[in-house]
Amino acid sequence: MREKLILLSHCRRVGWKSILKLLQYDSSLSFLREASPALLQTILQLPSSSTEIVYKDLQTIPIQDILKKYSAQNIRCITITDPEYPALLKNIYDPPWVLYAKGDHRLLNNKSVSIVGTRTPTSYGIKATKVLCKPLVEEGWTVVSGLAKGVDALAHKETILHGGKTVAVLGSGFYNIYPKENCYLASDIANNHLLLSEYNPFIKPHRAHFPLRNRIISGLSFGTIVIQAKERSGSFITADQALSQGREVFAVPGSIFEECSKGTNKLIQLGAKLVCNAKDVTSEIHFQVKNEQEV
């Protein structure tokens, strides 16, 4: 089954919902290679042109050769059926069927907190990120973020600077790192930490991928810290995902006159916990971690 999940994640026109439909039809996916275009169309409810593409990919993608290539490049494929799949992420509403991991996959089950924020932080946002990262690292937290410009990249860098561990979740595949200016940072994370994506390595970045990526960032973490965010921004979406997943959301307050503080201040109005220092985060999450471990 795991190989079939990986194969599906390489097929065009196949997304999370399509794989769910196929699993609902047959949880073992044993029928997949022999399925006719007519059967696939009945299950997937796709236009005939899209169904033909799926059928062709199922028949022609050399998945064994691809897996050998990934293995040679230290790219690990982790399906939702594998024991190393992160327990926290498996509990969200729509966990990825396959994760592509490059680096230390053991970090997936570390105690983690995510830090996200604007791509254009002010000096205040930069200072807040630095002030929060160091004590989190000192307490052994793995920091998860999205490798984006601004707060995300800074959170990764500060974690590394202070000797901590970090996980970068991409909105593209490993062969198409985005943004380009963070390629060196991505390489460092892949070699010494963990680079992660639900998209196979060949997939290019697309604007629709990043909101979906955000559910993984929050889903891997006991809590999400938002440092400067506009309303309806990617960081705001991540916080919303965290709330829907039953995770803690923390927000660094900002000036009422700054556009980049409107999102974080709104989150506080909606019930996010106001953060002044790292202890505001750790004291709250420690209780949640303890309950999770007892369960």
Side-chain angles (χ1 to χ4, degrees):
M1 177 182 171
R2 70 180 308 277
E3 186 177 299
K4 290 182 175 67
L5 283 173
I6 297 167
L7 171 61
L8 285 168
S9 77
H10 285 75
C11 292
R12 294 167 292 171
R13 306 291 197 275
V14 173
W16 190 90
K17 289 182 179 178
S18 291
I19 295 177
L20 177 63
K21 289 176 181 177
L22 292 166
L23 287 167
Q24 288 172 335
Y25 179 82
D26 177 2
S27 60
S28 72
L29 298 176
S30 58
F31 73 101
L32 209 54
R33 286 285 194 181
E34 291 74 36
S36 66
L39 176 58
L40 288 173
Q41 188 165 17
T42 299
I43 297 169
L44 297 176
Q45 296 294 297
L46 292 173
S48 58
S49 58
S50 295
T51 305
E52 287 292 341
I53 290 172
V54 175
Y55 177 77
K56 180 181 178 181
D57 284 354
L58 286 172
Q59 301 302 317
T60 60
I61 289 174
I63 196 64
Q64 288 291 343
D65 293 340
I66 290 172
L67 289 174
K68 287 177 183 177
K69 179 180 179 180
Y70 291 166
S71 179
Q73 296 173 343
N74 295 316
I75 296 172
R76 192 180 190 96
C77 305
I78 303 171
T79 74
I80 198 166
T81 63
D82 295 329
E84 62 265 47
Y85 192 94
L88 273 180
L89 188 61
K90 188 179 282 190
N91 289 332
I92 71 172
Y93 168 73
D94 50 356
W97 303 114
V98 182
L99 292 169
Y100 294 90
K102 195 165 187 181
D104 186 359
H105 71 278
R106 295 172 299 179
L107 296 180
L108 288 173
N109 285 297
N110 273 16
K111 63 173 189 177
S112 300
V113 62
S114 55
I115 297 178
V116 296
T118 180
R119 287 170 170 77
T120 54
T122 64
S123 58
Y124 170 74
I126 292 170
K127 187 174 181 180
T129 305
K130 291 181 176 181
V131 165
L132 289 171
C133 276
K134 185 179 179 182
L136 288 171
V137 167
E138 289 173 346
E139 288 202 26
W141 289 91
T142 294
V143 173
V144 181
S145 198
L147 201 77
K149 299 177 186 177
V151 169
D152 288 27
L154 183 59
H156 293 306
K157 290 174 183 176
E158 284 295 305
T159 300
I160 294 168
L161 176 66
H162 296 295
K165 290 296 182 180
T166 189
V167 177
V169 185
L170 307 182
S172 61
F174 296 153
Y175 301 155
N176 297 282
I177 299 297
Y178 180 86
K180 293 290 186 184
E181 56 262 49
N182 285 341
C183 281
Y184 180 79
L185 176 60
S187 178
D188 184 15
I189 292 172
N191 289 328
N192 302 296
H193 303 270
L194 183 63
L195 207 58
L196 194 70
S197 180
E198 72 174 313
Y199 302 105
N200 77 65
F202 298 94
I203 297 296
K204 294 180 179 179
H206 187 278
R207 63 185 301 174
H209 294 170
F210 295 95
L212 294 172
R213 177 273 311 266
N214 294 341
R215 83 190 194 285
I216 303 175
I217 295 175
S218 58
L220 286 170
S221 310
F222 283 101
T224 294
I225 305 169
V226 185
I227 302 173
Q228 294 194 316
K230 297 178 182 178
E231 286 190 75
R232 299 181 182 177
S233 64
S235 300
F236 197 91
I237 292 170
T238 308
D240 186 58
Q241 292 276 6
L243 287 170
S244 68
Q245 293 163 355
R247 309 294 163 80
E248 297 291 346
V249 176
F250 305 88
V252 175
S255 167
I256 62 172
F257 304 109
E258 293 280 355
E259 186 70 26
C260 61
S261 292
K262 286 186 177 180
T264 47
N265 291 347
K266 181 71 172 178
L267 285 170
I268 293 167
Q269 283 184 323
L270 293 173
K273 295 172 175 64
L274 186 152
V275 174
C276 295
N277 53 56
K279 282 190 176 180
D280 290 336
V281 177
T282 56
S283 61
E284 190 71 34
I285 296 183
H286 274 310
F287 178 74
Q288 189 180 353
V289 172
K290 184 179 178 183
N291 284 348
E292 190 78 23
Q293 290 172 340
E294 287 176 353
V295 171

